[in-house]
Amino acid sequence: MLQGLTGQCALITGATRGIGRAIAERLAQAGASLGIVGTDLQRCTAVAAEISKAYQVEAIPFACDVAQTAQAEQTLEAMLEAYGKIDILVNNAGITRDSLLIRLDEQDWDAVINTNLKGVYNFCKPAARAMMKAKYGRIINISSVVALCGNAGQCNYAAAKAGIIGFSKSLARELAARNICVNVIAPGFINTDMTEALPEQIKEKLKDSIPAKRIGKPEEIAETVAFLCAQNSAYITGQIISVDGGMNMA
Ligand code: NAI
């Protein structure tokens, strides 16, 4: 078991289920203390308690809508108050509001951009300030294969996820000399509640189009996050790491 993150503090958004929860568990397994961010306080509290008990680490629940700048700033402040620092920030929270462009409502455009892209800005800004002071940090932003390939019916989602890539490369350049790494993971098709909602027929078709011929597991994304958080990964920054069974080979 990797114990390399003992003494480090990690904030993970959208950590109550799916990929975010797997990331939280993996970092806890490595010994990190956690901030569990989600929209529902009860859910966050339950997940934090479960992880804390299972891995013997501290885990603090924070209810926060990542799309709300003031809430994100307050959450970051509360994290700093509790732990005195933030070593790792994982921006994982995300939503879909799929529709072909000609039927895509402005509300669904705004919701996806605000949660998936502005949410990343909202957390990176106050976290970067704290990390710059500490001269250490790891920021990992969860994008998508769709940012690299596009997907019919996901103009809003692909735009937000591609925005994360440009944002992260720029931030990586701003922070590299301060010993802060900023990287992006682009998952392919991963088995979570988000993808569970897709019709069986579409899932089968999608699976067939994946070179690995299987759907990915949340733990496979979590493992990549743990790798990027490791001390030995300090020279990796501004990169997009695809974890997608070969869906995108650029
Ligand atoms: P999910 O829907 O199972 O979980 C998303 C989490 O984000 C939930 O805990 C939810 O409560 C939280 N969340 C949503 N909106 C929020 C907000 N405004 N404020 C705070 N928390 C919020 O999704 P899943 O599948 O675990 O996805 C996690 C990330 O990975 C997302 O950014 C998603 O876009 C990305 N992704 C997922 C893929 C997949 O196949 N499942 C593929 C590529 C990327």
Side-chain angles (χ1 to χ4, degrees):
M1 190 201 293
L2 179 83
Q3 281 292 342
L5 300 180
T6 302
Q8 295 208 21
C9 303
L11 187 85
I12 302 123
T13 69
T16 56
R17 66 180 203 190
I19 293 171
R21 179 166 179 153
I23 293 168
E25 292 202 31
R26 184 64 186 86
L27 298 187
Q29 189 193 34
S33 303
L34 303 181
I36 301 286
V37 176
T39 42
D40 182 64
L41 182 60
Q42 257 186 327
R43 191 80 204 107
C44 288
T45 306
V47 169
E50 281 165 28
I51 293 179
S52 180
K53 189 170 173 215
Y55 300 96
Q56 301 295 303
V57 295
E58 203 172 336
I60 303 174
F62 296 111
C64 169
D65 176 354
V66 299
Q68 303 299 322
T69 309
Q71 286 186 33
E73 281 169 359
Q74 282 158 16
T75 301
L76 220 290
E77 249 171 57
M79 174 87 179
L80 292 175
E81 225 165 82
Y83 291 122
K85 61 173 187 164
I86 175 168
D87 301 293
I88 297 162
L89 168 66
V90 185
N91 284 302
N92 163 81
I95 57 167
T96 51
R97 295 281 186 276
D98 296 352
S99 174
L100 293 174
L101 179 68
I102 52 169
R103 284 190 229 114
L104 182 62
D105 289 344
E106 188 183 348
Q107 277 164 326
D108 288 340
W109 171 267
D110 287 344
V112 169
I113 297 294
N114 287 339
T115 301
N116 296 11
L117 181 56
K118 191 177 176 192
V120 174
Y121 156 82
N122 283 341
F123 271 92
C124 280
K125 190 173 166 184
R129 277 209 195 102
M131 288 174 176
M132 281 167 81
K133 271 194 207 144
K135 296 193 175 61
Y136 183 85
R138 298 289 162 87
I139 297 174
I140 295 147
N141 296 325
I142 307 297
S143 176
S144 168
V145 64
V146 163
L148 305 168
C149 303
N151 195 22
Q154 290 199 307
C155 284
N156 50 356
Y157 184 77
K161 292 297 189 183
I164 287 177
I165 292 176
F167 174 93
S168 302
K169 285 185 178 178
S170 303
L171 187 61
R173 287 184 187 276
E174 290 182 16
L175 300 180
R178 314 276 188 137
N179 197 25
I180 301 164
C181 301
V182 185
N183 290 293
V184 173
I185 297 175
F189 190 37
I190 309 298
N191 190 17
T192 68
D193 291 333
M194 185 183 266
T195 46
E196 196 53 44
L198 292 170
E200 209 49 51
Q201 213 184 340
I202 297 198
K203 275 197 265 185
E204 275 311 308
K205 227 172 120 186
L206 257 165
K207 200 155 73 173
D208 215 44
S209 72
I210 303 169
K213 298 289 174 214
R214 70 170 177 88
I215 294 171
K217 296 181 254 177
E219 293 75 20
E220 290 173 307
I221 307 303
E223 206 52 48
T224 311
V225 172
F227 164 74
L228 288 170
C229 290
Q231 293 305 314
N232 288 347
S233 300
Y235 209 50
I236 303 173
T237 195
Q239 301 306 305
I240 298 117
I241 303 185
S242 290
V243 184
D244 64 1
M247 279 176 89
N248 174 64
M249 296 189 194

